[in-house]
Amino acid sequence: MATQRGGRQVERLVVAEFNIDRGSSITHQYPGPVGVPEQTLAELMLPDGVHKRKDDWTLFFLNRDGAEAKAGGKEAKAAEKPKAGAAGTLHAPMDAFIYEYDDNCEGGTHDYRHTRTRVGKKVLFVLPRSVEIKEDANPASPSTYVVTKHAELDYTQLEPMFSCVLTASGLALGFRFASATAESVFSGHIEHLMNLPDEPESGGDGGGGAEEKPFLYCLNRVTNHKDDTVRRGAVVKALAICSPFPHVHIFKPLMVLALDLMFKSPDKEAEILEEVYRAINSMDLSRIPILTEPQKVIRRNGRDRAQMEHEAVLYFQETPMKIKIPLLSGPDEVADYQVIPLVQRLQAGVMTLFNAVLAEKRIVFISADGSAEELVNFVLGTVGMMSPPLVGLVRRAFPYTNLAGLDALLPVPGYIAGVVNPMFAERMEWWDVLCDVATGKVTLNPNTMPQEKERLPHSKLDAEFYQRINSAVNSHYGDDYIKRQFEDYLGLIVDVATGEAEFATPAEKQSFTDANAKRIESWKRSSSFTLYEEHRKRLREQSSIKNGKVFRYVRQLRCAKGISDSEMLYIYKTFLDNISTEEQVEEGGLYPVAVSLFHPSKAVRDATVELFKRFETIQALFILRSAFFLGSGFLKNLNFFIYLAFNRQLEQSA
C-alpha cells in the first residue's frame, strides 16, 4: 500500500450508465482510462437488480497482482476458468422446444408474429460466452445452433416461458421452456452475453516495460433516478472513486453530492468529474502522521480507535467539507465495514466461516433480493474479522462480482465473493462454503468439504468463543471490541502455529496446541500461511528492535503467571539493554510492563521505574500515551493507580 502522504488520494474517477438500448456502458473516465475493459467495468458499477432500488453502493478492487494464484498451487489449478464442454457450462443442461422464424424485418426490427417452424426438442448448454443448442445432453455432440454476442443480439419474451432471440446469422429462434426457472436462467444469460466485452486482442498491454499499476480500492455509488421522459421511466447512473488507500468511504458524502449534480446537469459530467478529482487531491495532508505497522498495532489497543483520525478539509463547489482520515487501518481493513452484522446474521455459523477462511476455502455470499451494499459489508467484514493477524486477504476478496467477473474470480485460491446471481448457488463447483445473506444459512459443499464423522478438537473452543462474542454483541459492545476479540483469538492460534505463543501454564499451552493442531496443519498448507510468514520475516528485518526476546517477554508479561523474581529482573535487564529510542519504545508495546510497578519485589519495582525514567528521557511519553488513551501523560491517563504507583516508587528510589 502507498504511504499516507505519498501520491494522490484518488487515481481515477469513472461514470457508468445504463441505457435500455445500449445496455451498461462507461460514459467518462478521468483523468484517463482505468485500464480494464469498459464493459467489465460497467457491469461492476451497475449491479444486477439495481432497478429494484433507489440507490446502492458497491466496492471492487483493480490491479490485483496475481500473487495469490501463483502461491495457490493445486487449488489455483483446480480453479482454472471454464472451457467449452461439460466442465465449462454455467448451468445444468436445459430442455426447450425450438422454433425457427421467417427472417422478416420491418424497419430493422424483427417481427416475431410471422410464420414459425417447429424444429423440435433440444438441449441448451449455457457457456461463459455463448449458448449452444444440441440434439441431446452429450456435450460432445455437435451444436445445431449457437447464440453468441453480436451487435444485433436481441431478446424478446412473447409470453410466459416463451422467448425469442436473434442470432448472429440473422435467424430468429423461439424457445419454449418447461419451467420459469429455466427461462430465467436463459434470459439472464442472454443479457450477460449482450453486455460482454469484446474478445481481447492478442499482444497484451503493449510490452513488459510498463510501470506497475497500483492496487486500487474502488468505491461505487449507483442511483436509480426517476425520469418520466425516458423509456424506462428512470435513469441509472454510477460514480466510482478509485484510490490506492483503503479508506475510500470517507468520500461518500462528496460522491452523493457529485452524482446528484450529474443528474441535474448531464452535459457537465466531465467538468464535475474534474472538479471532484481536483478537490480530493488538493487537500492539505502535509501534517498527517505516517505510522509504521508496529505503531498502528500499539495504538489499536487504545480506548477509542475512532479518535485516531486525521481531520482534513476539501473544497467542492466552493463549499468546505470536513473529512476524517483513519490512521490505524491496514491494507486489509477496507472502508467502513463492520463485523457485528456478520455475527448477528450467521450466528454460530460465523465460526464455520472463520475456519473456512483460515483453511483458504472458496466462500460465496449470495443475496438474490438484497442490496449489493449488504453483500459488500459481509465480504469486507469477513476480511476484517481475520485481518490482522492474517495478511493479503483483501486480494482474495471480491465484495461484489457477477458472471462477467468469472475470469478474474475463479483462478484466485480461497476467494471471498459477494454475488446476487442465483446461478452461483447452483454451480457448486464454484464454492466450498455458501452463505445466504437473507437467511443466515451457511452451507458446506459436500463434494469439497465432507462432514466430519466426529467433532473436531477445536469445536469446543470455537463454541465457547462464540458464546462470549454473542454475549458481548447482545450487551451492545462496539464493533472495535468485537473485532479485537477475533483478532486475539486468531492471534493465539497463529502464535501457536509459529511457536511464539505464551500461556499461563505449560498444561494450558499443551491443551490449546492439541485442540488446534488439525486446523493449524491445514493453514500451514495454504498460501495464506506463506504470505504470513513472509510478512512476519519482513517486519522483523525492518524492526528497530533487533533482539527478538523483547517481543517474547512482552507477551510473557501479558499472559504468563508465576514468573519468579529472578526471571522478572532478567526480563527488565533485557528491556533496558535493547530499548533506547522512541521507535523502539513504540515497537515494544510495553504497556504490560506498567503493572510491574505493583510487583512484591522492590528490585523489580525499581527496574520498572528505571525503564520508565528512560522513556521520559527520550521524550516518548507523549507517543506512548497516544498509543493507548488520550490526554496529557502516558501513566496518568493509562490508569490513576499506576500513575500514583509510579510517583511513589520514583520518590522512594530518589
Side-chain angles (χ1 to χ4, degrees), residues 582 585 609-622 624 634-635 646-647 650:
E582 292 184 6
V585 169
V609 171
E610 184 64 29
L611 186 62
F612 282 0
K613 285 168 65 178
R614 174 171 296 180
F615 296 165
E616 192 171 29
T617 300
I618 63 175
Q619 298 181 343
L621 289 180
F622 174 81
L624 278 169
F634 163 57
L635 292 172
F646 174 68
N647 279 289
L650 191 62

Side-chain angles (χ1 to χ4, degrees), residues 335-353:
D336 50 351
Y337 74 91
Q338 290 187 316
V339 175
I340 286 179
L342 195 66
V343 175
Q344 291 174 321
R345 188 66 56 86
L346 301 187
Q347 299 183 17
V350 76
M351 299 313 298
T352 301
L353 186 67

Side-chain angles (χ1 to χ4, degrees), residues 343-376:
V343 175
Q344 291 174 321
R345 188 66 56 86
L346 301 187
Q347 299 183 17
V350 76
M351 299 313 298
T352 301
L353 186 67
F354 176 94
N355 287 297
V357 176
L358 189 62
E360 206 169 68
K361 299 300 182 181
R362 299 166 302 163
I363 299 165
V364 170
F365 286 92
I366 189 163
S367 177
D369 299 314
S371 70
E373 182 180 14
E374 186 176 39
L375 281 171
V376 167

Side-chain angles (χ1 to χ4, degrees), residues 355-629:
N355 287 297
V357 176
L358 189 62
E360 206 169 68
K361 299 300 182 181
R362 299 166 302 163
I363 299 165
V364 170
F365 286 92
I366 189 163
S367 177
D369 299 314
S371 70
E373 182 180 14
E374 186 176 39
L375 281 171
V376 167
N377 189 64
F378 276 27
V379 171
L380 296 181
T382 301
V383 172
M385 178 179 71
M386 308 294 287
S387 178
L390 300 189
V391 296
L393 290 186
V394 73
R395 293 175 184 263
R396 289 163 49 185
F398 295 76
Y400 170 76
T401 192
N402 49 32
L403 292 175
L406 278 177
D407 286 351
L409 175 72
L410 295 182
V412 177
Y415 52 74
I416 308 166
V419 302
V420 299
N421 193 321
M423 188 180 293
F424 280 85
E426 298 171 4
R427 291 302 304 267
M428 295 180 66
E429 65 269 32
W430 289 350
W431 50 268
D432 301 308
V433 178
L434 182 71
C435 302
D436 190 318
V437 169
T439 64
K441 182 180 179 181
V442 178
T443 303
L444 301 182
N445 188 331
N447 300 320
T448 60
M449 297 185 69
Q451 296 286 342
E452 299 287 341
K453 294 182 179 179
E454 298 181 1
R455 203 175 184 207
L456 293 170
H458 60 253
S459 298
K460 184 174 183 293
L461 292 175
D462 285 355
E464 293 172 350
F465 174 72
Y466 170 71
Q467 289 302 325
R468 294 198 302 272
I469 288 293
N470 190 48
S471 176
V473 170
N474 291 335
S475 299
H476 307 292
Y477 279 74
D479 206 78
D480 279 347
Y481 176 85
I482 301 301
K483 187 182 184 313
R484 282 199 300 271
Q485 301 313 300
F486 276 104
E487 183 177 342
D488 290 345
Y489 186 62
L490 180 55
L492 196 55
I493 297 170
V494 168
D495 285 347
V496 168
T498 56
E500 295 186 337
E502 295 289 343
F503 288 83
T505 65
E508 183 181 317
K509 180 176 182 178
Q510 189 61 50
S511 175
F512 192 86
T513 301
D514 291 345
N516 287 281
K518 187 164 185 176
R519 63 176 161 192
I520 286 174
E521 180 185 356
S522 176
W523 180 50
K524 283 187 172 182
R525 292 196 301 265
S526 71
S527 61
S528 170
F529 179 76
T530 303
L531 289 173
Y532 178 81
E533 285 286 86
E534 292 173 351
H535 176 74
R536 187 167 66 109
K537 180 181 178 183
R538 187 165 58 251
L539 285 183
R540 290 292 169 85
E541 291 172 348
Q542 297 171 352
S543 174
S544 62
I545 299 176
K546 301 306 178 184
N547 189 340
K549 289 182 179 179
V550 170
F551 301 103
R552 177 189 168 194
Y553 290 153
V554 171
R555 289 195 298 271
Q556 190 174 351
L557 289 174
R558 183 182 293 114
C559 303
K561 297 178 181 178
I563 302 175
S564 68
D565 291 357
S566 59
E567 286 180 298
M568 288 290 287
L569 286 172
Y570 181 78
I571 288 172
Y572 275 85
K573 184 179 184 301
T574 303
F575 289 159
L576 288 166
D577 289 344
N578 291 277
I579 299 175
S580 58
T581 68
E582 292 184 6
E583 188 177 9
Q584 289 172 337
V585 169
E586 290 234 275
E587 286 197 38
L590 298 175
Y591 175 61
V593 174
V595 298
S596 295
L597 291 165
F598 302 98
H599 198 277
S601 168
K602 184 177 185 301
V604 172
R605 295 197 302 271
D606 288 345
T608 307
V609 171
E610 184 64 29
L611 186 62
F612 282 0
K613 285 168 65 178
R614 174 171 296 180
F615 296 165
E616 192 171 29
T617 300
I618 63 175
Q619 298 181 343
L621 289 180
F622 174 81
I623 300 174
L624 278 169
R625 64 91 179 163
S626 69
F628 303 101
F629 298 121

Side-chain angles (χ1 to χ4, degrees), residues 24 55 67 103 313 315 351 391 445 548:
S24 302
D55 50 56
D103 189 12
V313 179
Y315 292 87
M351 299 313 298
V391 296
N445 188 331

Side-chain angles (χ1 to χ4, degrees), residues 12 14 29 32-38 41 62-63 205 213 216:
R12 292 290 187 272
V14 186
Q29 298 187 67
V34 172
V36 299
E38 287 196 355
L41 189 59
L62 297 178
N63 303 335
D205 59 2
K213 297 178 181 178
L216 294 179

